[in-house]
Each structure stands twice: as C-alpha cells, then as structure tokens.
Amino acid sequence: MKRIHGLFTLSYGVITLLFAVAALSLIVFAGLELWQALAPGSELGQRERFNAVLESIGLLTIAVAALELGQTILEEEVQRGTQISLPTRIRRFLSRFMIVIIVSLSIEFLVAVFQLIHDDPAMLPQAASIGIATAILLASWGFFIKMNRAAEELEPEGIEKIKQEDAEIE
C-alpha cells in the first residue's frame, strides 16, 4: 500500500511540475503578446494593440490559474501527504480551487466583453453566458460553505489539526 501511495504522491508531483511549466510558457507568451502591443516600431493600429493587451491579460489569467492549481496540489497532496477526510480540509481544498476558477472566469468574461463590444457586439450574449455561469458558481460555492459549516462545527479538532499542519508546512 505504501508503494501505491508513493506512486500517487510522485504523480501529483509530476502534475504540479507540469502545471508550473505550462504557467511559465503562458507567461512567456503573454510577455511576447504584450511586447508586440507596446513595441514602438510596430505597424499595428491602436485596435490591434488593444486586442494584444487583452490577449496578454487572458494568457496571464490562465497562467495564474495553472500556478494556483499546481500550488494547491503540491500543498494538499504532496506536502501534507494525507487523504482528504475532514470537512475543514474538503472545504478548504474546494475553496482554493473555486477561487481560482471564479476569478479566472471573471477576468475572461471581462476580456471577452471588452473585445466583443468593439469587434462583434452580436456575440455579447455568449460572453454574458460566461458571466452568468461564473455567478452561478459563486452562489453555489457560497451555499456549499454555508451548508458545510455545520459539519465543521461537529469536528472542531479538525480545524486545529489543519492549523498545525499549516504551521509545519510554512
């Protein structure tokens, strides 16, 4: 059983590394896109420069999401090396994941609206669907936290255990 657990830990480590490599690649692409938008000798018009800046923001948003997910996996699965069982740990893991997704979708929504309002206003309802989906996710997450709180109060030692683990990791 220890070997299987070690294989899972190794796999989580590889996934974390790949998330970091993907994020760094996206950061490089975002930097190149931003450089293209700001390069003084470029023949691009203002509209193309604006779109390049927005594209850079979108790439950076995805890079942040990849880094955050990689960090969450690293901390929760590799460093802690424990299985998720306590309600507090489940809520925290899910909350970290949902924060990344909701913030990323919100930024993508704003980028899509800024691009589409100038390029193709007929596509704004599709962009609005991203905003609506993000709002539904946020409301669902809030409902989950509210409902999970009762389970957490039944197990106050779980909160203390996680605080101790946090102190050891930091």
Side-chain angles (χ1 to χ4, degrees):
M1 205 56 182
K2 285 186 178 187
R3 288 183 185 193
I4 292 173
H5 189 268
L7 182 62
F8 276 99
T9 301
L10 178 66
S11 297
Y12 283 127
V14 170
I15 290 169
T16 300
L17 180 65
L18 291 175
F19 266 124
V21 170
L24 291 173
S25 300
L26 289 170
I27 291 168
V28 169
F29 293 153
L32 293 172
E33 193 74 32
L34 192 58
W35 174 254
Q36 184 180 29
L38 299 176
S42 176
E43 302 270 332
L44 294 177
Q46 185 177 4
R47 182 90 222 121
E48 290 84 16
R49 289 176 189 266
F50 178 73
N51 285 337
V53 170
L54 288 178
E55 186 67 29
S56 177
I57 291 170
L59 290 170
L60 289 171
T61 300
I62 298 167
V64 167
L67 284 173
E68 282 293 324
L69 289 173
Q71 180 181 2
T72 299
I73 292 170
L74 177 68
E75 290 175 0
E76 297 295 331
E77 300 295 339
V78 177
Q79 289 180 329
R80 289 185 196 281
T82 57
Q83 297 168 332
I84 295 179
S85 59
L86 297 172
T88 303
R89 185 171 288 128
I90 294 169
R91 184 176 59 82
R92 187 168 103 174
F93 184 81
L94 183 60
S95 292
R96 288 184 71 175
F97 178 74
M98 292 302 290
I99 287 169
V100 170
I101 299 301
I102 289 170
V103 169
S104 297
L105 283 173
S106 298
I107 293 171
E108 283 298 318
F109 166 66
L110 290 173
V111 168
V113 167
F114 284 132
Q115 283 181 331
L116 293 174
I117 203 158
H118 297 288
D119 295 340
D120 191 3
M123 297 292 289
L124 282 173
Q126 283 79 356
S129 67
I130 297 171
I132 291 167
T134 304
I136 290 169
L137 277 174
L138 182 60
S140 300
W141 175 40
F143 180 74
F144 171 79
I145 289 173
K146 180 179 179 180
M147 300 311 286
N148 190 271
R149 186 131 175 103
E152 212 172 273
E153 289 171 357
L154 293 174
E155 200 172 27
E157 68 276 357
I159 296 171
E160 289 304 315
K161 184 177 180 182
I162 288 176
K163 285 181 182 178
Q164 290 172 351
E165 288 177 358
D166 286 345
E168 290 174 11
I169 289 176
E170 294 172 356

